[in-house]
């Protein structure tokens, strides 16, 4: 029903929830403007090191290093097996150099705007999880950051330089030829899922396809906060699988469950 939400200025806002909105058939009675299509995530670099260093002419040795580093990556390597060597070199020539100082966070855990895959030419980096250093180290010839591009997901960990490093990076657009087949099947599955999400049935198939292209996978641990009461909202969440509790002022007021096999996806 109707309720009042206090605002800091002393004003009160009358709230009409979606249940009452639909019961009054306001969706059909009001001449509401059509929503604009959801746009894909921006392709500009968002990682810490991505803004440092323009593309420069590369030596044959540098191109060979980037090709070798791509092939050595456990996730990217299998995607390169059927590519011609010249095609790999063409991709490698798009790499951007970065000089990073000791202590620099090259990528940050949880970052939604993950656009770069990094290769270490010299120096060392360490992996940090939840703000704590791990025993995992990366050195010359190693690479990282590919999972977020392949899975279109937030960064899984923070990678910090523990000494001055020289890095090379390839952007998601540079690697599109490698990732588009994998992402295409995932986007199709998301578009089909969006047909079952309450409230999104009014969107056209084209709009849902664009929304699917913008979706990112976020896996949460038991007890982890997904949305925090009072925080500024910056994302729209669809529960794909699992169960979440809804709390108001620290007290549980509801529970949402999703089952991908049954097509039940609350938001």
């Amino acid at each position: 029903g109707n309720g009042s939400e206090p605002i800091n200025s002393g004003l009160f806002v009358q709230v009409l929830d979606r249940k009452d909105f639909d019961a009054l058939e306001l969706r059909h009675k009001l001449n509401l403007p059509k929503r604009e299509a959801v746009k894909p995530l921006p392709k500009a670099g968002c990682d810490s090191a991505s803004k440092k260093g323009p593309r420069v002419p590369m030596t044959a040795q540098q191109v060979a290093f980037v090709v070798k580093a791509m092939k050595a990556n456990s996730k990217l390597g299998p995607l390169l097996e059927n590519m011609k060597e010249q095609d790999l070199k063409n991709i490698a020539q798009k790499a951007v150099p970065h000089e990073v100082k000791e202590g620099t966070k090259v990528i940050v855990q949880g970052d939604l705007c993950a656009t770069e895959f990094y290769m270490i030419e010299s120096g060392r980096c360490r992996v940090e999880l939840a703000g704590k250093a791990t025993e995992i180290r990366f050195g010359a010839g190693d690479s990282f950051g590919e999972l977020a591009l392949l899975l279109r997901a937030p960064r899984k960990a923070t990678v910090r330089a523990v000494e001055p490093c020289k890095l090379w990076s390839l952007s998601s657009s540079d690697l599109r030829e490698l990732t588009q087949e994998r992402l295409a099947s995932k986007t199709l599955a998301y578009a089909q899922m969006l047909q079952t999400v309450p409230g999104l049935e009014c969107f056209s198939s084209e709009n849902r396809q664009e929304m699917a292209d913008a979706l990112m996978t976020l896996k949460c641990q038991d007890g982890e906060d997904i949305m925090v009461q009072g925080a500024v909202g910056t994302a729209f969440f669809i529960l794909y699988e699992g169960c979440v509790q809804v709390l108001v002022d620290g007290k549980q007021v509801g529970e949402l469950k999703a089952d991908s096999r049954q097509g039940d996806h609350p938001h």
Side-chain angles (χ1 to χ4, degrees):
N2 294 341
S4 297
E5 295 287 339
I7 308 297
N8 290 337
S9 63
L11 298 175
F12 287 84
V13 177
Q14 296 298 319
V15 179
L16 183 67
D17 64 24
R18 191 172 66 185
K19 181 179 179 181
D20 289 341
F21 188 93
D22 291 337
L24 294 171
E25 298 183 344
L26 294 179
R27 189 187 304 276
H28 305 292
K29 295 177 181 179
L30 296 177
N31 186 21
L32 297 174
K34 292 184 178 179
R35 293 179 184 266
E36 293 185 357
V38 177
K39 303 300 182 184
L41 290 171
K43 294 181 173 58
C46 300
D47 293 315
S48 300
S50 64
K51 298 179 182 179
K52 300 177 183 178
R55 282 178 176 157
V56 297
M58 299 173 66
T59 66
Q61 184 178 6
Q62 289 171 331
V63 171
F65 165 78
V66 173
V67 170
K68 183 177 180 180
M70 287 194 298
K71 287 182 175 180
N73 186 276
S74 61
K75 299 297 187 300
L76 276 182
L79 302 179
L80 308 177
E81 293 177 353
N82 297 325
M83 292 193 68
K84 297 179 180 179
E85 193 67 20
Q86 186 56 51
D87 291 336
L88 291 175
K89 290 181 179 179
N90 291 341
I91 294 174
Q93 288 171 348
K94 298 177 181 180
V96 175
H98 308 276
E99 300 280 351
V100 299
K101 299 179 180 179
E102 179 182 351
T104 300
K105 292 181 180 180
V106 183
I107 63 175
V108 178
Q109 184 176 11
D111 190 355
L112 296 174
C113 193
T115 60
E116 306 292 323
F117 163 64
Y118 294 95
M119 296 152 283
I120 304 176
E121 181 175 333
S122 63
R124 292 186 307 133
C125 296
R126 75 172 178 228
V127 175
E128 299 176 358
L129 294 173
K132 297 181 180 180
T134 71
E135 297 299 320
I136 304 174
R137 297 287 190 275
F138 294 132
D142 291 332
S143 57
F144 56 89
E146 77 289 346
L147 280 178
L149 304 189
L150 293 175
L151 302 178
R152 188 170 286 166
R155 294 294 192 189
K156 297 292 185 184
T158 293
V159 177
R160 185 193 299 268
V162 294
E163 59 186 56
C165 294
K166 181 172 183 179
L167 311 175
W168 291 90
S169 71
L170 287 167
S171 70
S172 55
S173 58
D174 297 332
L175 296 172
R176 185 173 293 118
E177 184 177 350
L178 306 178
T179 60
Q180 61 184 357
E181 183 176 347
R182 176 176 294 212
L183 289 178
S185 60
K186 187 174 184 179
T187 300
L188 177 60
Y190 280 164
Q192 294 173 342
M193 176 200 70
L194 290 174
Q195 296 181 33
T196 67
V197 176
L200 300 185
E201 62 274 0
C202 58
F203 287 94
S204 68
S205 58
E206 181 180 350
N207 287 161
R208 284 196 296 267
Q209 185 67 34
E210 290 175 330
M211 293 173 67
D213 189 52
L215 284 177
M216 301 182 70
T217 301
L218 179 64
K219 294 184 178 180
C220 301
Q221 302 299 318
D222 185 17
E224 181 180 351
D225 291 335
I226 300 173
M227 296 173 58
V228 178
Q229 183 179 3
V232 176
T234 59
F236 170 70
F237 296 93
I238 298 172
L239 187 59
Y240 182 75
E241 189 77 50
C243 176
V244 297
Q245 294 178 335
V246 180
L247 296 90
V248 175
D249 297 330
K251 297 181 179 180
Q252 184 175 343
V253 297
E255 188 175 79
L256 299 175
K257 294 183 179 181
D259 187 341
S260 58
R261 294 167 296 181
Q262 300 296 325
D264 186 14
H265 302 288
H267 58 85

